[in-house]
């Protein structure tokens, strides 16, 4: 598995090894969803100003957000990897053979703000945002209430499997 982490935020999350935590959560999400391939994920850590620009550009929402997800695959149903096999040339990194899942962008400022707001650790908030985004990269969404419930249950299970609790 390859997790490319780039930190352009200039900010810190004291006590958190951002790459190690990301790798653990991504791996747990892939295991939980039964991904049969080694995978590649890109993670960008940024600040509120930069994520606001991206949120406006890609979603038409002019405010900072906590996390953005940019999946590389389109799924018939979430975590159904058969589409990747059908479009193999576009789905796998030709150098590594890994399934390219997409990009996660996280506002480090939002991690800190939301950890304080929700009364849990920055590590828990950071891990939660990665688990949430991974589910998006695997085809899940939360537009409808039943979809949101599925995502919430899966996020909780992934974090519980790592003993990252509120």
């Amino acid at each position: 598995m390859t997790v490319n982490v780039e930190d352009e935020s200039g900010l810190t999350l004291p006590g958190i090894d951002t790459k190690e935590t990301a790798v653990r959560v991504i791996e747990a999400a892939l295991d939980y969803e039964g991904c049969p391939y080694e995978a590649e994920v890109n993670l960008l850590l940024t600040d509120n100003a930069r994520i606001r620009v991206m949120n406006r550009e890609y979603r038409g929402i002019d405010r900072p957000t906590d996390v953005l997800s940019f999946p590389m695959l389109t799924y018939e149903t979430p975590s159904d990897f058969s589409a990747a096999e059908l479009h193999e040339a576009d789905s796998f990194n030709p150098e590594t053979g890994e399934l390219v899942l997409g990009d996660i962008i996280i506002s480090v400022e939002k991690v800190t703000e939301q950890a304080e707001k929700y009364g849990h650790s920055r590590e828990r908030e950071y891990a939660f945002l990665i688990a949430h985004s991974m589910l998006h990269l695997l085809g899940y969404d939360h537009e409808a209430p039943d979809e949101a419930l599925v995502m919430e249950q899966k996020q909780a299970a992934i974090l519980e499997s790592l003993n990252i609790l509120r």
Side-chain angles (χ1 to χ4, degrees):
M1 180 173 70
T2 300
V3 178
N4 300 304
V5 179
E6 181 183 346
D7 187 346
E8 69 174 25
S9 72
L11 305 167
T12 62
L13 291 170
I16 302 172
D17 182 331
T18 53
K19 175 143 188 179
E20 188 269 336
T21 301
V23 167
R24 286 178 50 226
V25 175
I26 291 167
E27 194 167 72
L30 293 172
D31 289 347
Y32 187 81
E33 288 299 304
C35 180
Y37 306 106
E38 289 297 311
E40 178 181 320
V41 175
N42 298 309
L43 171 61
L44 174 65
L45 303 176
T46 193
D47 59 21
N48 281 347
R50 288 187 184 109
I51 207 166
R52 178 181 183 168
V53 169
M54 289 183 248
N55 201 26
R56 181 177 56 234
E57 183 178 332
Y58 294 104
R59 297 179 60 223
I61 300 172
D62 189 16
R63 68 175 182 264
T65 188
D66 50 6
V67 63
L68 292 170
S69 310
F70 297 97
M72 293 297 292
L73 301 174
T74 303
Y75 300 85
E76 290 291 321
T77 58
S79 292
D80 175 4
F81 299 97
S82 61
E85 295 164 7
L86 292 173
H87 306 286
E88 187 173 329
D90 297 326
S91 301
F92 293 88
N93 181 327
E95 294 176 15
T96 64
E98 292 176 323
L99 180 63
V100 179
L101 292 176
D103 302 327
I104 299 171
I105 302 169
I106 293 177
S107 167
V108 174
E109 287 174 278
K110 287 288 186 185
V111 170
T112 299
E113 290 170 20
Q114 291 177 177
E116 290 173 12
K117 178 180 178 180
Y118 299 124
H120 53 243
S121 71
R122 286 183 300 268
E123 179 187 37
R124 195 275 178 193
E125 185 64 22
Y126 178 67
F128 168 81
L129 294 175
I130 293 169
H132 179 87
S133 191
M134 280 301 297
L135 291 172
H136 281 307
L137 296 187
L138 296 171
Y140 290 92
D141 207 345
H142 49 79
E143 295 302 314
D146 58 331
E147 293 173 335
L149 182 60
V150 168
M151 280 190 72
E152 289 167 13
Q153 291 169 341
K154 289 177 178 288
Q155 290 159 178
I158 291 164
L159 295 177
E160 286 171 15
S161 76
L162 297 167
N163 201 32
I164 300 175
L165 310 170
R166 288 195 143 167

